[in-house]
Amino acid sequence: MESIKSKKITAVWIITILTLFVVSIVLGILMRLNQGGVIEQTPVAFYVNMTTHGLTMIGIWFVAGMMAVNFLLQRYVKTSHTVNILALVFTVVGVLMLWTSTFIGKFHAGWTFLYPLPFKIMWAKWATPVFYLALVVLVVGWLIWCLSLIAQILKKYSISQTFAWQHFKKNPKVETPPFILISMITLVGITTCLIAAVVLVALTAAEYFSKGAFVNDALLMKNLTYFFGHTIANEMLYLGLAVIYELFSEISGRPKWKTTWYVAIAWNFTLVFILTAFFHHLYMDFVQPEGLQIVGQLASYFASLPAAGVTVFSIFIAVYRTKINWSLPNLLFFIGTAGWVIGGLGAVIDATISNNVVLHNTLWVPAHFHTYNAMGNVLFSLGFFYWFATLDTEKIYSGKGTKLILSLLLIGGIGFLLAFYIAGADSIPRRYSNYPPELAAGIPLATMGAAFATIYLIGILIFFFNISKGCLKILSSPSS
Amino acid sequence: MFKNTFLTILIAGGCFLASGQEAPLSTGEEGNIYQKIYNAPLVTSTKQATSFEKLRKEKPLLLGLIFTRCSGVCNPFLLQLKENLQFAANNNSVNVVVLSFDPRDSITDMNSLAQRLDLENDLQWTFAVTDSILPLIQSVGFSPVWDSAKQQYDHDAFLVGINKDGYITKKLIGVRSANDLSLLISSVNNIFSPTYRLPGTNALFSCFNYDPTTGKNTPGLGLLFIALPAVVTVLLLILLSYFNAPKVG
C-alpha cells in the first residue's frame, strides 16, 4: 500500500503541477488577449509565451499522469521512491532550463521546435543549446521513471501477463488487472516516444556541433519530432484512463472493473495504433510516401476506437440506471471522458486527409487538442488530485463547492473551446500573433476565448486553494 | 543629364536609406515575398494612364524591370522570357509588364523596344514607364546601381511574380529556364509547387534517396531512425523482463 513517503512526494507533485498550470494558463490568456487586440505584445513576446505555454502544459500533464500511475501502482507492486524523487528533480530542473531559454534567451521556435527553425537564430545564441539541454534533462528523467515502473511491473507479472494475452483465451488462470494492462501499454508507448526524442536530440546535436559537415534530413526530423510530440501528448491521456479504470468504480461504490478478452484486445491494438498515428502530422509533406499518409489516417481512426469505445462503454454500463455515489472526483472523471471523446472526434475529423486540406494549421487544431486536454486529461488528473488530497480526511467540499468548481470549469472550458472551434471552422490560422484585416473574424473570438479561459482559471484557482489544504496536511504529517 | 544624375542619386540614396530601416531591403529572391507591390501609376504603350492595381486585377502579372539603353542583360532577358513563355505551363494565365526603371526612358522608347521584340501587338505584353520608380523598385527589392563610367546601370535580370491581390509571390533573378518560369506562373496563380533541398554529401540520413536520372525515390537510411525507437523499446522490454522475471513458487 501507499507509504507516507509516497504520499508526501505525490503532494509535492500536485502542488508543483498546479502552480505551473496556473502560470501556463495565464500565458495562454495573454496570447488570446493579444490576438484579440486587448493587450499589445511584441511578436517575440507572443511566440516566447506560445513556446513556453505549449511545452510546459505537455510536460506537467504528462507527469501528472505518471505520478498518479506511480502512486496507484503501489497497490500492486513496489515502486522506487528514489526514482520518483529523481523524476521530480529532473522535471523541475528541466522546466527551469526551458523557461530560461524562452523567457531570458527569447527562444521561440514553438513547442514543436520543428527543424530547422531552432537553427535559425532569432534569439540569444545560447538559448538553442539550453533549450535542447532542457529537453535532454526532461527526457532522461522521464525515461528512467518509465523504465523503473516497467521493471517493477515485470517483477510480478510476465510480459505476456502485463499485456493480458492470456485473456485472449477463455478462463485465464491469472487475471491481469485493467490498471496494470493500461499502465503497461502506456508506459511502453511512452518509452518508445521518449527514445524517439533521444534520437531527435542526438541528430540535432550532431548537426549543431558539426559546423556544416553534417546536415539532417528535414523529413526525418519532422517524423521524429511528431513521433515524440504527438505520441507523448496522446499517451498522457491513457495514463489518465488507467487512473479512471482504477478509481472510477471504487469512488462510485461499484464493483471493480475486470479485464475481459475485448478489453485486452482493445488495449493491445491501441499500443500499435497510437505509435503510428503521428503520420497524420505529415499530410502536407509531399515527399512522405502515400502509404504512410494512409497509415496515419487509418491509425488515427483505429487508435480512438478500441480505447475510447471500450472505456466509454464501460463507464456507460457502470452509470446507466445505477445508483452512483457522485462526488467531485468521479464527476470530473465522467465529464473528462466526455471531453476526451469530443476532442477525439475533433481530432479524427482533422486527421481525415480530405478534411485536413481545409483544417490544416487552422485554429481547429488547438480546438481539438485543448478539448481532450483542458476538458479531458486535466479533469482526469484533477479527479485524482481531489481523491488523493481527501484520502485521509473528510471531504473538503460541500455540494455547493463542487457545483461552483464544476460550473466554472464547464462554462469557462466550453466557451474557451467554442472560440477555437468557430475560428477553426472559419479557417482562421493558428500561431498568428495578430490577425490582419483579412482575418478580422479571429479578433473577437480571441477575446471571447480569453474571457472564458479566465473563468476556467478561476475554477482552477478555487480547486487548487481547496485541495492545497489536504496536500499541506499530508506534507506536514510525521514521516513515520 | 542633370535630371538623370539627380534621379540616380535619389534611387541610390533611397536604397541606402531603406537598408537601414527595420525591414531590410533584400536583393535576393527571398526578399519582399508576400509583401504588396507599390501601386505605381503607369503610362503604357497606348499612352493610356493605368496602374498596377488595375492591371493585376485582370490577371496575375509578371513584372520585368529593364531600361532601353541597356547594353547588357536586358535584351537577352526579354528575348528569353518571350521564348520561354510560349513553353511554360499555364502561360495564358498571366500578363507581362515590362517596365523601365531608367528615368531617361520615355514611352516612345518603350514602344520602340516592343517593336524590336515583335511584341507591340501582343495583348499579353504591356510596355510601360512610371514617374514613381523609386518606391516601386523598393517594394520589390530591386537595386540597380548607376555606373557613371559606363553610363549604364549595373543590375540583375529581374522578374517579379505578382498575384491578383497585389502580393509578390516569387521572384526570379537571372535569365532562367521555362521550368523556372512555370513555377513562377504557378506561384502567382496560388498553385502549390513542391520544392525540396537537393541531397548533398553532408546529408547522411535521408529518408529517401532521389535519383535524378530516373526521377524515383528509394528508401534511405533515415527510415531506420524512425523504426529505431520501437526496436530499442522491444529490446529493453526483453532485457527488463529477463532481469526482473517473477520468482516462481
Side-chain angles (χ1 to χ4, degrees):
Chain A
M1 288 301 286
E2 307 91 3
S3 66
I4 188 70
K5 276 197 304 185
S6 163
K7 283 183 182 170
K8 284 193 175 198
I9 182 108
T10 305
V12 175
W13 270 118
I14 291 174
I15 291 169
T16 309
I17 288 163
L18 285 176
T19 307
L20 294 175
F21 186 40
V22 168
V23 176
S24 300
I25 294 177
V26 171
L27 293 179
I29 292 171
L30 288 176
M31 283 189 282
R32 292 300 267 160
L33 286 174
N34 185 65
Q35 290 173 325
V38 179
I39 62 167
E40 204 172 310
Q41 291 179 318
T42 62
V44 170
F46 178 89
Y47 290 109
V48 161
N49 288 346
M50 192 182 83
T51 306
T52 316
H53 169 88
L55 271 166
T56 310
M57 285 292 197
I58 294 280
I60 59 175
W61 293 110
F62 167 71
V63 292
M66 283 292 287
M67 69 89 182
V69 163
N70 191 136
F71 185 78
L72 293 170
L73 205 53
Q74 294 170 93
R75 294 174 164 192
Y76 302 94
V77 296
K78 190 176 178 297
T79 62
S80 167
H81 183 64
T82 312
V83 171
N84 201 346
I85 290 177
L86 195 76
L88 177 65
V89 171
F90 272 57
T91 302
V92 172
V93 171
V95 169
L96 288 176
M97 288 173 71
L98 172 73
W99 285 16
T100 305
S101 75
T102 55
F103 287 131
I104 300 173
K106 303 292 175 200
F107 181 86
H108 55 275
W111 89 265
T112 49
F113 53 94
L114 206 55
Y115 175 87
L117 202 51
F119 288 104
K120 309 285 177 192
I121 307 291
M122 290 169 276
W123 40 74
K125 254 188 170 179
W126 55 264
T128 295
V130 169
F131 175 82
Y132 277 101
L133 271 177
L135 271 187
V136 169
V137 170
L138 292 169
V139 166
V140 167
W142 297 344
L143 197 52
I144 293 170
W145 200 7
C146 261
L147 293 174
S148 164
L149 293 180
I150 290 173
Q152 295 304 326
I153 293 172
L154 287 171
K155 279 183 182 170
K156 185 170 176 183
Y157 302 93
S158 66
I159 280 194
S160 63
Q161 286 169 355
T162 58
F163 289 105
W165 291 341
Q166 77 279 18
H167 286 271
F168 296 168
K169 294 178 194 165
K170 278 183 182 174
N171 305 319
K173 285 179 187 167
V174 181
E175 202 218 331
T176 304
F179 181 74
I180 294 293
L181 166 66
I182 301 168
S183 297
M184 189 64 173
I185 293 281
T186 311
L187 289 169
V188 169
I190 292 168
T191 303
T192 313
C193 74
L194 290 177
I195 292 169
V198 172
V199 177
L200 177 68
V201 174
L203 288 172
T204 306
E207 179 166 343
Y208 187 81
F209 292 110
S210 76
K211 301 198 184 300
F214 167 74
V215 292
N216 278 297
D217 179 43
L219 184 66
L220 171 62
M221 298 301 267
K222 189 168 180 182
N223 271 296
L224 286 171
T225 302
Y226 283 104
F227 196 163
F228 162 60
H230 169 87
T231 311
I232 199 165
N234 275 263
E235 292 287 3
M236 65 191 194
L237 278 157
Y238 295 95
L239 292 170
L241 286 182
V243 173
I244 288 186
Y245 270 78
E246 182 67 13
L247 292 182
F248 187 84
S249 53
E250 182 180 315
I251 295 170
S252 305
R254 303 291 305 153
K256 221 172 175 63
W257 291 344
K258 290 192 181 300
T259 301
T260 55
W261 64 268
Y262 56 87
V263 169
I265 288 177
W267 280 97
N268 274 272
F269 273 120
T270 295
L271 175 61
V272 178
F273 295 139
I274 207 74
L275 289 176
T276 46
F278 76 90
F279 288 124
H280 67 218
H281 283 273
L282 289 102
Y283 287 159
M284 293 289 170
D285 296 83
F286 62 92
V287 280
Q288 184 92 330
E290 204 171 286
L292 293 181
Q293 313 286 32
I294 293 165
V295 167
Q297 175 165 321
L298 293 178
S300 307
Y301 281 11
F302 295 143
S304 53
L305 285 176
V310 169
T311 308
V312 170
F313 176 73
S314 302
I315 289 180
F316 182 75
I317 292 295
V319 300
Y320 184 66
R321 290 188 174 179
T322 308
K323 189 171 165 37
I324 296 286
N325 303 327
W326 287 111
S327 59
L328 189 56
N330 58 6
L331 278 168
L332 286 167
F333 289 154
F334 191 78
I335 296 166
T337 307
W340 171 53
V341 171
I342 294 165
L345 285 173
V348 168
I349 289 170
D350 191 26
T352 305
I353 293 172
S354 53
N355 297 336
N356 191 267
V357 172
V358 179
L359 295 173
H360 191 89
N361 267 342
T362 66
L363 284 173
W364 188 273
V365 183
H368 80 67
F369 68 65
H370 277 91
T371 310
Y372 58 63
N373 283 315
M375 292 304 284
N377 191 35
V378 170
L379 301 193
F380 297 162
S381 289
L382 294 186
F384 171 80
F385 292 174
Y386 175 81
W387 170 84
F388 171 81
T390 55
L391 254 184
D392 299 329
T393 179
E394 60 202 63
K395 302 292 179 216
I396 295 167
Y397 300 139
S398 64
K400 276 185 184 173
T402 299
K403 280 179 191 163
L404 176 66
I405 289 170
L406 281 178
S407 304
L408 289 169
L409 292 180
L410 275 171
I411 293 168
I414 292 170
F416 157 69
L417 293 169
L418 265 181
F420 269 145
Y421 276 114
I422 295 168
D426 198 19
S427 292
I428 304 295
R430 68 195 284 214
R431 296 183 182 140
Y432 271 40
S433 61
N434 298 96
Y435 294 120
E438 291 86 349
L439 303 169
I443 296 171
L445 287 168
T447 311
M448 171 184 151
F452 279 102
T454 308
I455 296 172
Y456 183 90
L457 174 63
I458 293 167
I460 292 294
L461 286 170
I462 295 172
F463 178 87
F464 190 9
F465 175 75
N466 279 284
I467 69 152
S468 60
K469 291 178 199 167
C471 289
L472 292 173
K473 194 176 169 189
I474 290 167
L475 283 173
S476 60
S477 61
S479 294
S480 55
Chain B
M1 182 64 193
F2 172 75
K3 185 184 162 198
N4 171 41
T5 311
F6 175 73
L7 279 168
T8 305
I9 292 168
L10 206 63
I11 291 171
C15 292
F16 175 74
L17 283 175
S19 67
Q21 288 168 0
E22 201 170 306
L25 187 67
S26 169
T27 52
E29 290 188 358
E30 299 84 8
N32 304 74
I33 298 298
Y34 302 120
Q35 290 179 15
K36 273 205 162 177
I37 189 166
Y38 178 73
N39 183 26
L42 302 174
V43 177
T44 65
S45 49
T46 53
K47 298 208 173 170
Q48 280 181 338
T50 184
S51 68
F52 265 105
E53 191 171 339
K54 282 182 188 165
L55 291 179
R56 54 111 167 143
K57 278 185 176 170
E58 290 172 20
K59 270 185 185 178
L61 298 177
L62 305 185
L63 167 66
L65 288 161
I66 53 93
F67 69 110
T68 58
R69 291 165 180 80
C70 183
S71 59
V73 76
C74 288
N75 277 308
F77 165 60
L78 288 176
L79 283 167
Q80 192 69 51
L81 177 62
K82 181 188 167 190
E83 188 179 326
N84 284 345
L85 195 59
Q86 297 169 38
F87 303 108
N90 292 322
N91 56 358
N92 287 321
S93 64
V94 292
N95 282 334
V96 184
V97 175
V98 179
L99 181 69
S100 168
F101 59 85
D102 185 348
R104 294 172 299 177
D105 279 335
S106 65
I107 193 61
T108 314
D109 295 327
M110 294 301 281
N111 281 340
S112 304
L113 178 65
Q115 280 170 10
R116 282 208 307 274
L117 295 167
D118 199 19
L119 288 167
E120 76 273 25
N121 296 318
D122 191 329
L123 294 176
Q124 194 178 14
W125 291 69
T126 302
F127 287 76
V129 291
T130 178
D131 57 4
S132 306
I133 194 64
L134 182 61
L136 182 99
I137 62 171
Q138 278 183 350
S139 73
V140 298
F142 180 60
S143 312
V145 177
W146 177 249
D147 185 336
S148 55
K150 293 181 182 168
Q151 290 290 297
Q152 287 281 309
Y153 285 100
D154 185 5
H155 71 100
D156 290 314
F158 201 82
L159 191 64
V160 186
I162 302 147
N163 70 9
K164 284 182 97 170
D165 297 319
Y167 288 99
I168 299 162
T169 61
K170 190 174 170 66
K171 298 195 291 192
L172 294 180
I173 295 177
V175 179
R176 305 286 281 270
S177 65
N179 187 40
D180 286 348
L181 188 62
S182 297
L183 291 175
L184 180 64
I185 292 171
S186 294
S187 167
V188 293
N189 284 297
N190 303 323
I191 297 167
F192 172 71
S193 297
T195 58
Y196 47 88
R197 183 163 65 186
L198 289 171
T201 50
N202 55 355
L204 302 174
F205 305 127
S206 294
C207 289
F208 299 96
N209 299 316
Y210 178 70
D211 183 349
T213 51
T214 60
K216 285 185 178 172
N217 272 315
T218 50
L221 274 177
L223 285 178
L224 292 177
F225 283 87
I226 301 175
L228 188 65
V231 174
V232 174
T233 304
V234 171
L235 290 175
L236 280 172
L237 265 182
I238 293 168
L239 278 175
L240 286 173
S241 170
Y242 180 77
F243 288 110
N244 296 285
K247 288 172 187 134
V248 182

